[in-house]
Amino acid sequence: MFPHLLQATKEYWRQLDELEAAYQQGDISLEEVDARVADLMAQLAVERRATLSHFWHLFQLMVTRQRETLIGLAILALITYAWALTSPIA
């Protein structure tokens, strides 16, 4: 299951806009706005944590499956860096 952070963020902003409009029209009190904003922020935080957890899991899976390739690339980068340091600048 892939978390939908972008959709959740769009929904968060849409609901904030609705709250602002309701407050401007005098339909809800400032205390109610504060309470609803806190709830919306908590919901978005859950989606953000799910997204971060998902990407962390994918990163760990990639490292596990491609360990030899990543080690080879790191060695190649280190050799290239060492060569660049020792070569004379023209």
Side-chain angles (χ1 to χ4, degrees):
M1 180 181 128
F2 185 77
H4 300 286
L5 181 58
L6 290 177
Q7 184 62 33
T9 303
K10 287 179 186 178
E11 181 67 19
Y12 169 79
W13 283 107
R14 185 190 63 75
Q15 291 175 343
L16 281 181
D17 290 341
E18 289 176 1
L19 278 175
E20 180 182 14
Y23 177 71
Q24 294 293 335
Q25 295 173 357
D27 295 340
I28 58 175
S29 68
L30 186 58
E31 292 79 18
E32 189 174 348
V33 170
D34 288 343
R36 287 188 185 179
V37 167
D39 289 341
L40 291 175
M41 289 174 64
Q43 291 171 8
L44 188 58
V46 167
E47 193 67 29
R48 286 179 178 166
R49 281 191 295 274
T51 301
L52 182 61
S53 175
H54 179 75
F55 282 116
W56 180 249
H57 174 71
L58 286 178
F59 174 76
Q60 288 178 323
L61 187 64
M62 183 198 69
V63 168
T64 301
R65 289 186 177 175
Q66 300 294 328
R67 183 175 305 239
E68 292 84 13
T69 303
L70 293 172
I71 291 172
L73 286 173
I75 291 171
L76 183 60
L78 183 63
I79 290 170
T80 303
Y81 180 72
W83 173 74
L85 287 178
T86 59
S87 65
I89 299 175

